[in-house]
Amino acid sequence: MAKFGIGQGMKRLEDQRFLTGTGQYTDDLPFDDALKAVVLRSPIAHGDITALDVSAATRAPGVKAVLTGADVTADGLKPLPCGALLKGTDGKKAVGPDYPLLVTDRVRHVGDAVALIVAETMDQARDAAELIEIDYAERPAVPGLAAIDSGAVVWDAAPGNLCLDWETGDAAAVKDGFARAATVAELSLVNNRIIVNSIEPRGAVGVADPAGGTVTLYVSTQGPHGVRDVIAKVLNIDPAKFRCVSPDVGGGFGMKIFPYREHALVLWAAQKLGRPVKWIAERGESFVSDTQGRDHVSHAKVAMDETGRFLALSVDTKADLGAYLSLYGPAIPTVAGSGMLAGLYTTPAIHVRVRNYFTNTLPVDAYRGAGRPEAAYLVERLVDVAAKVAGLPRDEIRRRNFIPASSMPFTTALGETYDSGDFTAHLDKALAKADWAGIETRRAESAKHGKLRGIGISTYVEACGGGGPEWSDIRIEPDGTITVPIGTRSTGQGHETAYTQLVAEAFGVDNDKVKVVQGDTAAIENGSGTDGSRSLPAGGSALHMAIQSVSAKARMLASYLLEAADSDLELADGKFTVVGTDRSITLGALATAASDPSKLPDGIDPGLEAKEMYKPAASTYPNGTHVCEVEIDPDTGIVELIQFTVVDDFGEVVNPVLLEGQVHGGVAQGVGQALLEHTVYDESGQLVTGSLMDYCLPRADDVPPVNFSMSPTRCTTNPLGVKGCGEAGAIGAPPAVINAVLDALAPVGVTDIDMPATPDRIWAAIQAARPAAAAE
């Protein structure tokens, strides 16, 4: 194994520049002559624009342009597209109304974009925005799923505000399963809406070169190639003349995958004004302009036989997509997440119905896990209810229904084929590490102090690391360095480190000899970007193939130049050596020779480089067990997380330090959703939780140390044997936390609670349960 190779817990190479303040984010780019842009946003959730006068703003000091929806129409620009207009149960596509760059007649959520003001300074642009005279005729709003039947309509093309009625599975088989059931467990629950809040807000800089006819968009994004391709269509630009650059990105979590209005607006303004145009969101603006996550209401029931084995599962979900369809919006609660409703279980019949609705709220799209956390939360909450109905321990009902390791590969009732996994193994390991058996002793000790203690369990599986193709190049330079342009884009995960380890393992070089290039469409021919925990399974596999190709060529050339048989060559420390001799040639010398056709044997093209594309044949299916233990003060409702245990199966591991960091971050976000984060709109569609004064993110003292370990089985669907890990923590954590909270509250009569389980919600549930308990 190389010093910095696969399996080594190497610290992140990126951290040196981040910790010393030398990282370069979009707002750090040195465009001294850049004009500043401000978006005028709607203060109401739903209404018609009855008057719009920008003349005073246009004349304001420093203002270079005030652009409106009328200008968008005049210039022939297109709306943002939705790439997931799925077919519903009636065979028709989802209703897909236009998502305009700037609205012309009607606003549909607080923060809807009405005008773009461009000025020499931010203060001038903000002051000019205040001078715009605009009148609205307010309409009744649909502020969430609870109001979809209120009579208010978001889009005339969507009666009843229904965007898509979709289903999967076998309804007839499920009906038969329930007819044969000895017992049935059912549950209704809410998967609360999340505001993403990446540390670095979104931002974009548009640059146009009229002489060359080219444009460049600098943008904080998870996928510059995808943004380029969409924005090129919106602005009617030849993609060949469009460069998209993503500098360092301070967090994405799915929210930065998509093309946004502002990406097109700054580039359009730069074309019109002949100067760079820069827009950087303020935190409050992010609350009303970024896509949001989750927001489902579901009812589920499971049929069981006399032994507690699952016969059938039925799920009916209503999902809020917001006012407009973001790029993948309709796919998240449907095709992205529903396949995971089988969980780790052998349930032979499953039927899922999902109805997607429009509301006068921010668009909803992928957020860490993108449908899979929603599925795991529903399944694992329901399994706990099923345990009570069947009279079985919570761990036993899971073991009884697990897909056995001997059955792998296993195709679920929803068509997902799990390639590998030993679910009982990680369950047993997690329960032992968490001392599941000793909870009653600890519960009694807490009771002495007037506290309620509980322990919760969740298992999970997700489909990730699949999807479209990914590309990687590798080039050995004459100075012995190795350049790796690759199509994924790190948003803090540590791609630079992981990819370097793959190269170091193959060539025996130190990590400072490897240069990973990300986020620039001029330097990287193709790329699908970073989403769905696909960077190592897809991007790493593409790099693996490129390494093999260039290694084979380098070995062939070394054999020719050293006049030695291939079998006599040893590659180590960045050079080929003839075994048993002092004759060797470095990779740099090989690259120099490869650039000279006269030194090459027949049949070898010049250059020591390779370009490869890898298209996953199937997803990877990481899985694991989370165990959470909590203590609750019944007088205040405050929850303290005592311990959190995670045992995961991520297949082969490239860097355990990076992997554990991803799990810790995901658990923190899952804890945030379970206990703290709650997006609230009032009856008029105003965002009540519109700042960090009202929207609570988890802090360090809210999350206990995570006791993390692995129980791996090698993935068989990619050459590296890895399974995606980036979203797993956020998938397993919420049901583990809520199941623990409900276990703690069971002695006082509380049987159900929705996320977030805030102190006031817990306290109210305790008060409501006491009269009922007293009456029994």
Side-chain angles (χ1 to χ4, degrees):
M1 180 182 293
K3 179 180 179 182
F4 302 107
I6 296 174
Q8 297 296 301
M10 191 170 77
K11 292 183 179 180
R12 301 197 324 172
L13 301 174
E14 300 92 327
D15 287 350
Q16 180 64 26
R17 71 174 186 273
F18 294 149
L19 293 173
T20 57
T22 56
Q24 189 176 65
Y25 299 90
T26 302
D27 197 27
D28 299 322
L29 297 172
F31 290 105
D32 296 334
D33 62 335
L35 298 168
K36 308 304 189 295
V38 166
V39 179
L40 178 69
R41 300 187 183 278
S42 170
I44 65 170
H46 197 198
D48 296 320
I49 299 174
T50 58
L52 177 61
D53 185 353
V54 302
S55 56
T58 303
R59 296 191 300 269
V63 171
K64 298 300 179 183
V66 179
L67 301 172
T68 68
D71 299 302
V72 171
T73 301
D75 283 4
L77 308 185
K78 299 181 178 68
L80 292 176
C82 175
L85 294 178
L86 308 175
K87 288 185 178 180
T89 54
D90 57 2
K92 296 179 180 178
K93 279 187 177 182
V95 177
D98 283 350
Y99 191 169
L101 298 184
L102 296 170
V103 297
T104 56
D105 55 354
R106 185 177 299 176
V107 295
R108 287 182 166 83
H109 66 82
V110 171
D112 215 347
V114 176
L116 183 76
I117 303 95
V118 184
E120 292 286 353
T121 69
M122 282 296 296
D123 285 343
Q124 289 173 332
R126 291 190 189 104
D127 289 346
E130 296 288 335
L131 299 175
I132 294 177
E133 297 180 12
I134 184 167
D135 294 329
Y136 299 98
E138 199 159 356
R139 288 174 170 264
V142 183
L145 290 172
I148 53 176
D149 296 325
S150 65
V153 177
V154 181
W155 294 98
D156 293 339
N161 297 306
L162 182 65
C163 169
L164 174 69
D165 190 342
W166 179 91
E167 66 178 351
T168 188
D170 190 332
V174 167
K175 183 178 180 180
D176 178 68
F178 277 92
R180 295 184 289 110
T183 56
V184 173
E186 57 185 307
L187 174 69
S188 294
L189 53 75
V190 173
N191 213 295
N192 44 320
R193 183 183 281 230
I194 296 296
I195 296 172
V196 180
N197 279 302
S198 58
I199 290 179
E200 180 208 18
R202 289 192 301 113
V205 181
V207 180
D209 177 12
T214 60
V215 297
T216 303
L217 178 66
Y218 298 88
V219 61
S220 181
T221 181
Q222 297 170 229
H225 292 84
V227 168
R228 176 200 62 188
D229 293 345
V230 171
I231 300 302
K233 292 179 181 178
V234 169
L235 297 181
N236 304 309
I237 297 172
D238 180 356
K241 296 184 177 181
F242 190 149
R243 179 188 180 195
C244 188
V245 180
S246 178
D248 288 324
V249 180
F253 311 114
M255 180 268 291
K256 289 182 182 174
I257 298 170
F258 323 113
Y260 283 88
R261 291 164 151 169
E262 297 85 4
H263 302 166
L265 292 173
V266 295
L267 202 51
W268 175 46
Q271 287 179 303
K272 295 175 80 70
L273 298 172
R275 285 176 60 183
V277 176
K278 180 179 183 178
W279 170 81
I280 302 292
E282 295 183 341
R283 181 63 60 186
E285 188 176 15
S286 296
F287 273 80
V288 296
S289 66
D290 296 349
T291 59
Q292 298 176 352
R294 316 292 192 233
D295 206 348
H296 297 179
V297 174
S298 298
H299 182 78
K301 54 185 180 179
V302 62
M304 295 175 282
D305 68 12
E306 298 82 356
T307 67
R309 287 186 169 82
F310 302 153
L311 300 174
L313 171 67
S314 173
V315 179
D316 192 328
T317 291
K318 295 179 180 179
D320 190 339
L321 298 185
Y324 300 104
L325 298 184
S326 182
L327 188 65
Y328 302 129
I332 303 306
T334 53
V335 295
S338 291
M340 294 297 98
L341 287 165
L344 302 183
Y345 308 110
T346 57
T347 313
I350 304 175
H351 179 258
V352 182
R353 182 187 185 190
V354 180
R355 282 166 284 178
N356 290 340
Y357 289 94
F358 291 110
T359 65
N360 292 114
T361 63
L362 266 292
V364 175
D365 210 313
Y367 169 63
R368 199 169 192 167
R372 284 95 77 194
E374 296 92 312
Y377 181 67
L378 184 149
V379 170
E380 291 301 296
R381 286 285 314 280
L382 181 61
V383 169
D384 263 26
V385 175
K388 293 177 183 177
V389 170
L392 292 171
R394 291 171 287 166
D395 56 330
E396 174 58 25
I397 197 169
R398 288 174 167 85
R399 287 193 183 90
R400 195 165 293 192
N401 286 284
F402 275 164
I403 300 162
S406 59
S407 295
M408 296 296 172
F410 182 90
T411 300
T412 73
L414 292 173
E416 300 280 350
T417 300
Y418 303 163
D419 66 289
S420 60
D422 187 339
F423 310 146
T424 301
H426 58 63
L427 173 68
D428 290 345
K429 186 174 181 178
L431 295 184
K433 289 172 73 69
D435 189 18
W436 178 270
I439 182 59
E440 295 308 325
T441 300
R442 300 191 296 279
R443 201 191 306 272
E445 186 63 27
S446 291
K448 292 178 183 179
H449 303 284
K451 302 292 182 68
L452 303 169
R453 186 178 285 249
I455 195 166
I457 184 175
S458 73
T459 62
Y460 79 91
V461 62
E462 68 156 323
C464 64
E470 195 50 80
W471 291 263
S472 178
D473 302 353
I474 187 168
R475 184 171 64 251
I476 300 176
E477 311 287 1
D479 63 358
T481 59
I482 302 174
T483 303
V484 181
I486 194 162
T488 60
R489 184 48 177 123
S490 174
T491 61
Q493 301 94 328
H495 293 180
E496 185 177 327
T497 303
Y499 293 146
T500 294
Q501 289 181 259
L502 297 181
V503 175
E505 173 84 9
F507 295 104
V509 298
D510 289 346
N511 56 44
D512 61 359
K513 292 291 187 181
V514 183
K515 180 184 179 183
V516 177
V517 180
Q518 308 174 78
D520 187 345
T521 61
I524 304 154
E525 187 174 346
N526 293 296
S528 293
T530 294
D531 60 81
S533 300
R534 65 186 305 276
S535 292
L536 265 183
S541 293
L543 176 56
H544 171 77
M545 293 168 60
I547 287 170
Q548 288 186 317
S549 296
V550 81
S551 294
K553 185 174 183 180
R555 180 172 287 275
M556 185 184 301
L557 183 56
S559 176
Y560 174 76
L561 294 175
L562 292 172
E563 298 179 334
D566 180 280
S567 59
D568 292 333
L569 294 180
E570 180 183 69
L571 175 59
D573 299 325
K575 62 182 177 181
F576 285 96
T577 301
V578 180
V579 176
T581 76
D582 60 358
R583 294 168 56 218
S584 64
I585 187 168
T586 67
L587 293 174
L590 282 173
T592 300
S595 65
D596 184 353
S598 68
K599 296 182 179 180
L600 299 178
D602 293 340
I604 294 185
D605 295 328
L608 201 52
E609 61 183 315
K611 297 182 178 181
E612 294 289 349
M613 181 271 284
Y614 173 78
K615 188 177 189 313
S619 296
T620 73
Y621 294 92
N623 55 89
T625 297
H626 288 219
V627 182
C628 176
E629 190 165 330
V630 304
E631 193 174 65
I632 298 174
D633 183 343
D635 294 329
T636 64
I638 291 175
V639 179
E640 180 184 358
L641 272 64
I642 303 298
Q643 66 167 340
F644 204 102
T645 304
V646 177
V647 180
D648 281 318
D649 175 4
F650 293 128
E652 298 293 337
V653 176
V654 172
N655 185 318
V657 173
L658 295 181
L659 188 151
E660 187 168 358
Q662 286 296 291
V663 172
H664 286 183
V667 167
Q669 286 185 292
V671 167
Q673 180 174 8
L675 297 179
L676 304 167
E677 300 185 50
H678 192 196
T679 308
V680 178
Y681 291 89
D682 69 14
E683 65 280 356
S684 68
Q686 288 293 327
L687 181 60
V688 177
T689 52
S691 76
L692 292 176
M693 295 292 290
D694 305 294
Y695 185 91
C696 187
L697 292 175
R699 297 171 295 185
D701 59 354
D702 292 314
V703 184
V706 176
N707 184 352
F708 170 73
S709 59
M710 287 177 281
S711 179
T713 61
R714 182 180 175 85
C715 180
T716 65
T717 62
N718 64 72
L720 293 177
V722 299
K723 302 177 184 180
C725 73
E727 298 157 302
I731 297 171
V737 173
I738 297 300
N739 284 343
V741 167
L742 287 171
D743 184 54
L745 295 176
V748 296
V750 176
T751 59
D752 190 29
I753 199 163
D754 275 319
M755 298 189 292
T758 55
D760 61 322
R761 186 172 282 182
I762 290 175
W763 184 88
I766 293 172
Q767 305 314 305
R770 280 174 173 166
E776 292 180 355

